Amino acid sequence: MLCAKDTILWGIDLITISNTHSLHYIYTALSRDLGLPGIHKFTAMGMLDNRMIDYFDSENKEKVPKQTWMKDRLDPEYWVKGTQSRQSKQQWFEVNINILKDRMRQNGTDLHVLQWMHGCEGEVQPDGNMMFYRGMDRYSYDGTDFLSFDDTHSVWVTPVKAAEETKRKWDDVPVLKDYTKGYLENECMQWLNKFWSYGMTQLKTPPLGSA
């Protein structure tokens, strides 16, 4: 049976070398509600080294911790603000999946899926802190790469014609590119270091089901 995680279309290679760690957020929006148990029109989750650390969906409408140490170490205000952010992103996805359907002249009865994943990987230094290794900010539509951010050159890239209009608009907004680069290289890394320090003991144990 399908579950919420089955709507994730990317195969994600998060850990590339033994002394790197990763923090990624994955958002999945469906063009319509399927009415199936466990399948939500919108879901969002945080992933730290392949472990889910927080979760939100369009039915429960609340960002919640999925690790005990997340619940214990982060104050209630973090979850309040996180819930507000996820609700805002849900609205953004609802608007933009309709824009894409109209742009591609797709009907309203077929199912379409818009996803966004962004985050960072850090390499552990001798002092125990992590330095930026690489970032990721990319979108897919119906399982196909749609738009991604080239962090090295601070430019949006796309392999599909349908995304060229969005690429042009986003490339013309320097503040968006500066924010995206700054988030990946700085803010994301700050959270990665913090979360890793909070969950270090548990994270040294491989996730259940891993090889």
Side-chain angles (χ1 to χ4, degrees), residues 10 17-18 41 46-48 51 55 62 64 69-70 72-73 75 89 118 120 131 135 142 156 158 170 182 186:
W10 285 310
I17 52 179
S18 60
K41 193 174 181 182
M47 304 290 292
L48 180 66
R51 284 182 170 86
Y55 178 78
E62 183 179 5
V64 295
W69 51 266
M70 286 284 286
D72 293 342
R73 298 297 298 270
D75 60 48
K89 286 182 173 64
H118 70 114
C120 56
M131 294 293 291
D142 288 348
W156 293 94
T158 179
W170 289 10
N186 299 302

Side-chain angles (χ1 to χ4, degrees), residues 40-146:
H40 305 289
K41 193 174 181 182
F42 178 79
T43 59
M45 61 188 73
M47 304 290 292
L48 180 66
D49 282 4
N50 293 316
R51 284 182 170 86
M52 189 187 300
I53 58 173
D54 64 57
Y55 178 78
F56 173 98
D57 65 51
S58 50
E59 180 178 350
N60 297 302
K61 302 183 184 300
E62 183 179 5
K63 181 178 178 179
V64 295
K66 301 301 287 186
Q67 301 291 333
T68 301
W69 51 266
M70 286 284 286
K71 180 179 180 181
D72 293 342
R73 298 297 298 270
L74 295 164
D75 60 48
E77 185 65 17
Y78 172 87
W79 301 105
V80 171
K81 290 182 177 179
T83 293
Q84 293 170 347
S85 176
R86 295 281 168 91
Q87 291 173 345
S88 176
K89 286 182 173 64
Q90 179 183 345
Q91 294 174 352
W92 184 92
F93 271 85
E94 288 177 352
V95 169
N96 282 277
I97 200 168
N98 286 323
I99 290 174
L100 291 177
K101 283 167 50 184
D102 291 343
R103 183 182 298 174
M104 299 180 189
R105 296 180 172 83
Q106 297 169 330
N107 62 54
T109 57
D110 293 337
L111 177 66
H112 301 284
V113 184
L114 176 62
Q115 288 189 296
W116 175 37
M117 185 172 80
H118 70 114
C120 56
E121 293 181 46
E123 187 172 2
V124 179
Q125 304 300 300
D127 62 3
N129 286 319
M130 278 179 275
M131 294 293 291
F132 179 77
Y133 176 60
R134 67 177 178 181
M136 177 186 294
D137 193 311
R138 67 183 188 186
Y139 296 81
S140 78
Y141 186 67
D142 288 348
T144 300
D145 286 342
F146 186 78

Side-chain angles (χ1 to χ4, degrees), residues 154-174:
S154 292
V155 65
W156 293 94
V157 296
T158 179
V160 294
K161 186 175 181 61
E164 290 178 356
E165 180 180 346
T166 303
K167 167 186 160 50
R168 287 193 297 270
K169 289 180 178 179
W170 289 10
D171 277 339
D172 286 340
V173 183

